[in-house]
Amino acid sequence: RAAEWQLDQPAWSGRLRITAKGSTAFIKLEDKTSGELFAQAPVEQFPGIAVEGVTDSSRYFVIRIEDGNGRRAFIGVGFVDRGDAFDFNVALQDHFKWVRQQSELARQAQDLEQGPKLDLGFKEGQTIKLSIANMKKKEGGTGSTRPRPAGPGGLSLLPPPPGGKSGSGERPAPLSTPAQLPGTPITDSLLSWPQPTAAPAADVWGDFAKASG
């Protein structure tokens, strides 16, 4: 209990620092002016016997100091400000949390080394086949192209533009090949298309002439 200590007349006052070397944390009590070491307490685990909180205050602790020659002593340490006591606790907790994480990573690495290793290399004579979608095999070293539909006589023709009439009023030049546009008879020595018979001129408007009004 901290109430049993002589809190109004401390035996020593100074500053406290926490350092770490490997997995061990060191609580160092130093002179606040010169930085001379007064005592230090190595902490190998927390919570543990090296650092214990008192039962009647959150600002006071009992720490086990060592002189390096095997001699140990338990002393009471208190903080004037409650925030400093909180930082003291958090610093020790963060250090040993990091120690546990490093230990877990080392254990996982050891398990991977001891486990079976996968041989992902190619064996001698082993091949692999890849199937890639939307690709066709090239023949003869050149890519195959889609043929355009050919018109009569082997000439490739484009469909006529919509509208059917030219806005400029000019007539298109006649084709120089025997092939003609679709819908017109082909005059060729090998083909004979029947010619449509023209209706008599007198019957063109015959039905309309009989209509009344």
Side-chain angles (χ1 to χ4, degrees), residues 153-170:
L155 179 66
S156 297
L157 300 177
L158 297 176
K165 292 184 179 181
S166 174
S168 61
E170 297 180 359

Side-chain angles (χ1 to χ4, degrees), residues 14-134:
R15 70 182 183 189
L16 183 147
R17 287 195 309 133
I18 297 178
T19 62
K21 183 177 182 181
S23 60
T24 303
F26 293 89
I27 301 174
K28 295 186 176 184
L29 305 178
E30 301 174 344
D31 185 272
K32 59 184 177 181
T33 304
S34 63
E36 182 182 358
L37 181 65
F38 171 75
Q40 71 174 4
V43 184
E44 296 180 353
Q45 63 178 1
F46 181 78
I49 194 174
V51 180
E52 294 182 285
V54 299
T55 59
D56 58 344
S57 176
S58 61
R59 296 187 293 119
Y60 290 86
F61 304 86
V62 176
I63 65 175
R64 185 181 62 185
I65 60 175
E66 298 182 7
D67 63 355
N69 296 323
R71 293 188 301 177
R72 299 175 178 177
F74 290 91
I75 64 173
V77 175
F79 295 90
V80 177
D81 186 79
R82 195 175 303 275
D84 293 336
F86 176 80
D87 293 341
F88 173 76
N89 260 315
V90 170
L92 290 174
Q93 291 173 1
D94 287 348
H95 169 73
F96 287 99
K97 180 180 179 181
W98 173 83
V99 171
R100 289 191 296 269
Q101 290 176 348
Q102 295 300 313
S103 178
E104 181 67 19
L105 291 175
R107 186 186 64 80
Q108 292 178 0
Q110 185 177 4
D111 292 343
L112 290 177
E113 291 178 357
Q114 294 177 353
K117 296 182 179 180
L118 297 178
D119 186 8
L120 302 179
F122 285 98
K123 305 297 187 297
E124 184 177 357
Q126 185 179 5
T127 59
I128 187 172
K129 181 184 291 186
L130 296 179
S131 222
I132 303 178
N134 300 328

